[in-house]
Amino acid sequence: MSQEKYIGMDVHQATISVAVMDARGKLIMECLLETKADTILEFIQGLRGTLALPSRKGLRLPGYTIC
């Protein structure tokens, strides 16, 4: 089974709505995060597998490649 995960983020000033889907398109997680670099990094570091993040102007995560 593929361990790929696709992460969608709706970024706002104070919060980020996050949805995570598996390779088959099944929603596996939804959450609301603070718009803080440490919070975003902690969330992403807690996920396992190959992660695909959308490119968004201004989104920079040190140590991660945003595709």
Side-chain angles (χ1 to χ4, degrees):
M1 183 191 320
S2 175
Q3 292 295 313
E4 292 179 349
K5 293 182 179 70
Y6 298 87
I7 303 168
M9 296 183 175
D10 186 14
V11 181
H12 299 274
Q13 185 174 353
T15 61
I16 301 173
S17 297
V18 180
V20 181
M21 297 172 70
D22 66 14
R24 295 176 293 166
K26 180 181 176 186
L27 181 67
I28 57 175
M29 180 188 305
E30 287 183 291
C31 63
L32 189 64
L33 304 175
E34 289 180 284
T35 305
K36 291 183 175 180
D38 291 343
T39 303
I40 299 165
L41 288 171
E42 183 178 326
F43 171 77
I44 291 183
Q45 289 169 349
L47 297 174
R48 300 287 180 245
T50 302
L51 307 178
L53 292 164
S55 177
R56 181 166 176 102
K57 184 178 179 180
L59 181 59
R60 304 283 184 263
L61 299 175
Y64 292 88
T65 301
I66 311 284
C67 55

